[in-house]
Structures are given as C-alpha cells and as structure tokens.
Amino acid sequence: MRILVLGAGGVGGYFGGRLVEKGEDVTFLVRSRRKQQIKKNGLVIRSVNGDFSFTPKIITKTDTVAPFDVVLFSTKAYHIEEAINDLKPFIGEKTVIIPLLNGIVHLSPLKQAFGSDKVIGGLCFIETTLNEDGDIVQTSVADRLVFGEIEQPDTDRIKQIADTFSGTKANFVLSDHIAQDMYHKYLIIAVVSGVTTLMRAPMGPIRESDGGQAFIQHLLEEITQIMKASGSPIADNIVEKHMQTIEELSYDMKSSMLRDMEKGLSIEGEHLQGYLLKLAKEFGVDASLLKVVYQNLKVYEKML
C-alpha cells in the first residue's frame, strides 16, 4: 500500500519512519521549511526503542502525485483546516484517512471534507519531541498506534491496512472498539495535559506532592462525569484503570502540551479542555477543576 504521512514531526515522523524501516512505501507531506531541514539532515529517529535515520520520500502541497491508499493524519488540532486543504489533492476514491490528533472534535471536519467513508478511527500513545536539528527524540518506551473502523470493525480494507502495519518496531494495534479507545485516550490526555500544564511539572513531582494524587483523581472523575453525561462510549471502571495508568507513567513524563508551552508554541487547549467545558455547560455538569485548568491555558495563550 502507498502510505502518505501528513507531517514529519514527533508523531508522523516516528510512526512513518518505523514503517519505512520495515520496508513499506511511505511518503511525507511537509511544509517547505521542514523539507529543507530534511534534505539537509535526513529524517532521524533517536529512540530508546532503537535509532533509525533515512532519506525519506517527501512532497509539498504543490507537488502532483497519484492519490494514496492510506493517510496518517498527524497534525496539531489548530492546524486542521490548513492541513485538510493541503491534503485534498492526494485523496482518491479509496483513500483511507487515519487521524492521530488528540481529542475528538477533529472527526467532524475530516468527515465533512473527505466523506465519512474515508475516515476511520485512530489514536497514538507516544512521548516525542523535535530537537534543535529537527531530529525526533523519544525518551520513553511507549510507541503504540491504535486504529480501526468506527462503524463496521471487520472489513477487507482494515485487514489489508493491519497487514501492512504489522511487523514494525512500533506497536500498530487494530481495534474493534476504536470509538471507545479514542474517548479513553481523550480522557487521560485531558487530565495529564491539564495537570502538567497547570503545575508546570512532569507527572512524578505532581503525583508525589501533598494532595497531588487526589487532585489528579478529582479532575479525572470530573471529566469522566462530563463524558458520561454527554453519552460518550466509556467504560464504567475507566477511572480506576486510568489512575493505575497514571501511576505507572515515568517520573519525568511531560505531556506534549507542556512541552509546547516550554517552547512558547501554540497549544490545543480549546480543542481538548475547551470542548469538554462546552459539554459540561450543555449537560449541566459541575466542572470547577477543569475551569481552573482551562483558565491557566487561556492565560498562557494571552501571553504568547
């Protein structure tokens, strides 16, 4: 299958690179600045799971090539409209788009732009960043990409994609309940990004601080209540499961949102915590802790 990766940053560059490492046909759609950086240095993955460097096939939005079979859509949520426009020339009748964005609100514009039949579910768990040379740096072992059909789990195309993704050094996981997986990821990322940005600290010191565990759990319970009130497909025991996962996060683990704040970059607060607050208001759920988290993000954005 011909695979197009939108972007060559920490997420797209890593998972696309692992597919290249396996021997798959992967092209990266990048902006001009990133193209020049890659032409100079190549695409370099520095990972606790094994380093890999290569010269990737790259295109920009002005290039003319045949449509692709699969697209890994890995941009930030605040770039989604621009990314959709950049991607349109490379989408064919049978192209399958796998979004890897945080949150859930991106599904609507993607389906509207390309058609519901072309968009399946996707998410990833990985902690990566780009260094000053544009290398992808991964310091923790998690590198899981989960994908699946939203409506009909067992289709010929999803089997073909799963076969293409198999055998890589990263973990590509086919799910038959991807909608629930996406909401579970949304829940934990909203909590982890919320507390790390509010405290300006990695997870270890937050957990070990006096009252830290209770704060994390109260925020988790609050967002869970919002999701349940809005009819989201989350498991009844998800709070207990997520608290165990949070306890197992590495001491130095930082959310990507905190890393972006440390670099003075834009953040996805409106798409994550902001959307949850809209749901809380719509369904009459108290969200006092989430409001504090969101206010902190708005102050940061004001100071950019």
Side-chain angles (χ1 to χ4, degrees):
M1 303 186 80
R2 296 177 63 249
I3 302 166
L4 180 65
V5 179
L6 179 66
V11 173
Y14 181 84
F15 288 109
R18 290 306 188 194
L19 287 168
V20 172
E21 184 180 30
K22 176 200 169 187
E24 295 296 338
D25 183 359
V26 181
T27 301
F28 296 84
L29 174 59
V30 297
R31 296 188 176 95
S32 297
R33 181 178 177 184
R34 183 64 168 150
K35 179 180 179 180
Q36 295 305 315
Q37 191 176 45
I38 292 173
K39 278 193 169 184
K40 179 181 178 182
N41 302 323
L43 195 53
V44 179
I45 297 173
R46 303 187 184 279
S47 168
V48 294
N49 295 324
D51 296 344
F52 179 58
S53 59
F54 62 105
T55 302
K57 293 197 292 185
I58 52 178
I59 60 173
T60 62
K61 63 182 180 181
T62 58
D63 290 323
T64 301
V65 297
F68 290 84
D69 300 309
V70 178
V71 174
L72 295 183
F73 194 98
S74 59
T75 188
K76 292 287 189 178
Y78 45 78
H79 286 149
I80 190 166
E81 290 186 10
E82 181 182 2
I84 285 173
N85 289 331
D86 291 350
L87 191 60
K88 283 181 178 178
F90 310 109
I91 303 299
E93 290 185 7
K94 295 185 179 181
T95 302
V96 179
I97 300 169
I98 306 176
L100 301 177
L101 292 78
N102 291 323
I104 207 77
V105 295
H106 57 273
L107 287 179
S108 180
L110 283 173
K111 290 179 178 180
Q112 185 175 359
F114 300 113
S116 297
D117 61 314
K118 290 184 174 61
V119 181
I120 68 172
L123 59 98
C124 64
F125 293 95
I126 190 166
E127 185 182 2
T128 55
T129 189
L130 296 183
N131 66 16
E132 61 276 6
D133 296 321
D135 300 344
I136 299 163
V137 180
Q138 183 200 23
T139 55
S140 60
V141 296
D143 62 353
R144 185 157 56 101
L145 188 155
V146 185
F147 63 100
E149 297 277 12
I150 297 174
E151 300 296 336
Q152 296 177 307
D154 192 21
T155 63
D156 289 338
R157 68 177 185 179
I158 205 67
K159 292 176 183 177
Q160 186 180 6
I161 293 170
D163 182 65
T164 300
F165 287 171
S166 67
T168 71
K169 284 188 177 179
N171 294 297
F172 288 81
V173 181
L174 174 60
S175 170
D176 59 2
H177 42 75
I178 191 65
Q180 184 178 74
D181 291 337
M182 291 175 69
Y183 273 99
H184 285 178
K185 161 71 183 299
Y186 186 8
L187 174 58
I188 197 167
I189 200 69
V191 172
V192 172
S193 66
V195 297
T196 55
T197 53
L198 183 63
M199 311 301 180
R200 297 294 199 277
M203 286 303 300
I206 298 172
R207 287 193 306 252
E208 293 183 359
S209 65
D210 186 20
Q213 287 276 19
F215 186 93
I216 294 169
Q217 182 161 340
H218 290 162
L219 180 60
L220 179 58
E221 291 171 342
E222 192 173 276
I223 298 176
T224 298
Q225 188 179 0
I226 295 169
M227 288 188 170
K228 286 184 175 180
S230 65
S232 304
I234 59 176
D236 291 335
N237 63 341
I238 193 58
V239 171
E240 292 79 6
K241 284 189 173 182
H242 274 356
M243 282 302 296
Q244 181 178 350
T245 299
I246 288 171
E247 181 62 30
E248 294 169 355
L249 293 174
S250 68
Y251 187 90
D252 297 321
M253 188 272 171
K254 295 180 180 180
S255 66
S256 59
M257 189 182 291
L258 176 58
R259 292 184 184 277
D260 286 340
M261 290 176 74
E262 291 174 341
K263 295 178 181 178
L265 302 175
S266 298
I267 56 174
E268 297 179 305
E270 199 61 48
H271 303 86
L272 298 178
Q273 289 82 4
Y275 178 67
L276 288 168
L277 279 177
K278 290 178 182 177
L279 290 179
K281 183 178 181 180
E282 180 179 352
F283 292 96
V285 179
D286 176 65
S288 54
L289 289 184
L290 185 59
K291 287 178 181 177
V292 174
V293 167
Y294 180 70
Q295 190 63 42
N296 170 61
L297 300 178
K298 299 310 288 184
V299 172
Y300 167 80
E301 289 178 333
K302 188 70 174 178
M303 296 173 66
L304 277 179

